[in-house]
Amino acid sequence: EAMCSDKLQTGLLVAGYLVYLLVGAAVFQALERTAEKQEKIAAAQMKEAFLQTFTQLTVAEMEQFMKNLTKAIQNGVYPVGNESQLEESNWDFSNSFFFAGTVVSTIGYGTLHPKTAGGQLFCVFFALFGIPLNIVFLHRVGKMLSLLCKKLGKFLYEKGMRKKKIKFLTLLFFLATGVLVFLCLPSVFFQITEGWSYSEGIYFAFITLSTIGFGDYVVGKQSDRNYFSYYRVLVAIWILFGLAWIALLFNL
């Protein structure tokens, strides 16, 4: 009965956590998408005006253009290519879900951030409740994984192995398995999808799962590559379970 209650609580927590992220993603998308489109149109117009008049620009006008261009890039708007890029959004559902995941996990790459007053205010409240929820979620997933450790330890103990050796082998097994599943294999995936080198994939995976999140490497940001739908959602799920694995290592 206690086990059934524990499973029910875990199921409700996981469902609640996912619903929280989905609702957050939908709100960020609704608040930020229109403002971003206007910013893209303004950047495209600025580029067009520059191309028509760049031979006649004064030094002061050129400096102003560079400032505007730098600001646009900092806001995630890259005025490169044709007008079809106006239809693509940094705040589609996949990107919004990815952003929501990086907020509650405190990674905060800094490459995507809310720019409207409503989006910024919502982000404060979303993080305020989302970060504790994320900690509870990771603790629960870590606890579930630690039960697997106990089962493995019990199996080895029944085989006549000493407790100290069991502790060492259990830690080694989950460390090696986690490194393979959450660092080595995803790095191959990033190498193929992003065109990075394998060492860059390892670097990105570690910087992300350690929640350092420099933002120098971020998935799904290269305009010259075709990403499959919900690629960043998949990466967000990898991050969440990768963080749970790290929480388990700390528990062990």
Side-chain angles (χ1 to χ4, degrees):
E1 193 175 323
M3 193 178 283
C4 286
S5 174
D6 199 47
K7 284 182 178 178
L8 181 64
Q9 285 177 5
T10 302
L12 288 172
L13 177 64
V14 171
Y17 183 72
L18 285 173
V19 167
Y20 190 80
L21 288 179
L22 290 168
V23 170
V27 174
F28 281 121
Q29 184 181 14
L31 291 171
E32 295 294 325
R33 200 167 188 173
T34 305
E36 184 207 34
K37 192 166 186 179
Q38 290 170 350
E39 204 167 347
K40 282 191 171 187
I41 292 167
Q45 289 171 345
M46 178 186 72
K47 176 187 172 183
E48 189 63 36
F50 172 76
L51 291 173
Q52 289 175 2
T53 61
F54 71 94
T55 53
Q56 301 150 24
L57 291 177
T58 64
V59 173
E61 286 171 334
M62 190 66 186
E63 286 287 329
Q64 188 58 47
F65 170 77
M66 294 303 290
K67 283 180 184 176
N68 292 341
L69 182 63
T70 303
K71 188 180 177 184
I73 291 168
Q74 285 173 344
N75 288 335
V77 175
Y78 302 93
V80 178
N82 54 35
E83 288 181 13
S84 65
Q85 285 187 303
L86 290 173
E87 300 305 315
E88 297 171 9
S89 175
N90 289 321
W91 291 101
D92 60 18
F93 189 77
S94 179
N95 286 332
S96 299
F97 184 87
F98 181 78
F99 173 74
T102 61
V103 168
V104 297
S105 61
T106 71
I107 294 169
Y109 290 116
T111 51
L112 186 64
H113 51 273
K115 292 172 278 293
T116 64
Q120 289 170 349
L121 200 61
F122 175 73
C123 189
V124 170
F125 287 101
F126 181 75
L128 195 64
F129 296 101
I131 291 169
L133 178 61
N134 183 64
I135 292 166
V136 173
F137 171 78
L138 292 180
H139 177 72
R140 181 56 67 111
V141 174
K143 193 177 174 184
M144 286 170 65
L145 290 173
S146 66
L147 289 175
L148 293 175
C149 290
K150 285 180 182 177
K151 284 183 180 179
L152 178 64
K154 192 178 177 184
F155 172 77
L156 293 173
Y157 186 71
E158 286 170 356
K159 295 289 179 183
M161 199 174 284
R162 286 181 296 124
K163 282 188 177 181
K164 279 188 177 180
K165 196 174 181 182
I166 289 170
K167 283 182 179 180
F168 174 73
L169 286 174
T170 304
L171 179 61
L172 187 66
F173 173 76
F174 277 92
L175 180 63
T177 306
V179 166
L180 180 68
V181 172
F182 294 108
L183 290 177
C184 297
L185 292 178
S187 298
V188 175
F189 177 68
F190 295 135
Q191 186 179 11
I192 296 164
T193 312
E194 297 287 344
W196 296 337
S197 67
Y198 186 71
S199 61
E200 286 174 320
I202 288 278
Y203 168 77
F204 166 75
F206 177 78
I207 292 299
T208 294
L209 295 184
S210 60
T211 71
I212 295 168
F214 287 129
D216 49 350
Y217 287 85
V218 182
V219 294
K221 297 298 286 182
Q222 299 181 68
S223 57
D224 59 334
R225 300 189 78 85
N226 291 320
Y227 300 104
F228 61 87
S229 298
Y230 298 105
Y231 165 54
R232 297 188 98 192
V233 170
L234 193 64
V235 175
I237 292 167
W238 161 73
I239 289 171
L240 296 174
F241 282 96
L243 291 173
W245 165 65
I246 286 174
L248 169 68
L249 285 184
F250 283 128
N251 285 341
L252 289 174

